[in-house]
Amino acid sequence: MTEADVRTLVEQHDLGALHAAHEFDTPGRPWRITTDTGDYMVRQRLLSGDPGELEFEHCLAAWLDARGFHVPVPVPMHDGQTWSAVDGELLAIHHFLPGLHFVEGNAVQARNAGAALATFHKLTGDFPGGKARRPPEHFRSLERNIAVVVEAYGDREEVRSLVADSRELDAQLPCSLPHALLHNDFHPGNVLFTRDEFAAVLELDFCFWGPRLSDIAEALLAFAFSFD
């Protein structure tokens, strides 16, 4: 995505003049833009180039927002479409969500994030079509997902056994535990706070139907690594 792509998208949404555009350092992360009509984020589809995937995410975002659970909500164009193909990429503009990022070691924020994840699961369990949203092959292994979290947040001796234990859980999870539409990327970098209170969760790229324990285990590890 380039600034020229951003300008094209702003014009398609009739958001007025573009005053500022800032690209985040991490690839695939959103651009933050300011126009005549306010502050927005520009996102590109991360997981695949399938418009149907993007439409699913945008419907889910509207569903959650309507129920008071704040997520980035896409801005529709005049024809109601919420995404646009620009130079082979699927791009969308979302309303900017203000908030503070997680403070390492903040137990109150971590507890409130856990409560927010529980609310997310309750809401998404009733989302129409959610049960049909099955994960791709590389998302089906709890062992792999936990290993990714360990790699990202530090390899600690006290958690290495979790990777081994997850192999046994992988054989049990698909059929024996409660399921929901999972976030699958619920970590400190994707949660915003107002002081200590939960404010919003970012990114719905990886939401798939599966065992809630998988989401809980990954989120628990991700937040736990911020504590000594």
Side-chain angles (χ1 to χ4, degrees):
M1 192 191 319
T2 66
E3 186 169 339
D5 295 333
V6 172
R7 290 186 180 277
T8 298
L9 205 57
V10 168
E11 292 174 1
Q12 291 175 341
H13 285 74
D14 195 22
L15 298 178
L18 179 65
H19 298 302
H22 169 69
E23 182 181 12
F24 287 82
D25 294 334
T26 306
R29 297 289 291 186
W31 286 62
R32 179 176 177 177
I33 64 173
T34 301
T35 75
D36 286 337
T37 56
D39 293 328
Y40 303 92
M41 296 183 295
V42 181
R43 291 288 314 277
Q44 66 185 99
R45 171 67 185 166
L46 295 179
L47 196 58
S48 75
D50 182 357
E53 296 286 328
L54 203 55
E55 290 176 1
F56 179 93
E57 293 164 21
H58 290 177
C59 288
L60 177 59
W63 166 276
L64 291 168
D65 187 70
R67 286 155 179 78
F69 192 94
H70 297 303
V71 296
V73 177
V75 179
M77 293 184 282
H78 294 299
D79 61 0
Q81 186 164 289
T82 56
W83 58 270
S84 179
V86 179
D87 289 339
E89 293 183 333
L90 295 184
L91 307 179
I93 289 184
H94 299 258
H95 293 284
F96 178 76
L97 291 174
L100 304 173
H101 287 287
F102 178 70
V103 177
E104 291 193 2
N106 189 320
V108 177
Q109 286 185 342
R111 183 167 57 248
N112 289 337
L117 181 59
T119 300
F120 180 88
H121 288 159
K122 290 177 183 177
L123 293 175
T124 59
D126 294 327
F127 180 66
K131 293 182 180 180
R133 177 84 160 189
R134 299 297 174 176
E137 190 63 35
H138 64 277
F139 271 95
R140 292 176 182 169
S141 168
L142 178 62
E143 177 187 356
R144 178 194 176 279
N145 288 356
I146 289 180
V148 169
V149 173
V150 172
E151 181 180 356
Y153 290 92
D155 184 10
R156 300 185 182 183
E157 183 176 355
E158 63 268 25
V159 298
R160 290 174 189 167
S161 61
L162 289 174
V163 177
D165 293 342
S166 64
R167 298 190 185 102
E168 181 178 349
L169 286 173
D170 273 330
Q172 303 173 18
L173 287 177
C175 58
S176 61
L177 294 172
H179 281 49
L181 188 62
L182 311 179
H183 186 273
N184 272 316
D185 203 17
F186 199 93
H187 62 74
N190 278 337
V191 182
L192 297 177
F193 299 87
T194 302
R195 293 189 177 179
D196 288 338
E197 297 300 317
F198 168 80
V201 63
L202 306 175
E203 301 190 14
L204 299 176
D205 302 71
F206 306 121
C207 293
F208 299 101
W209 187 259
R212 287 202 307 263
L213 182 60
S214 177
D215 236 8
I216 294 169
E218 291 177 46
L220 181 61
L221 282 176
F223 279 90
F225 281 135
S226 73
F227 293 86
D228 293 330

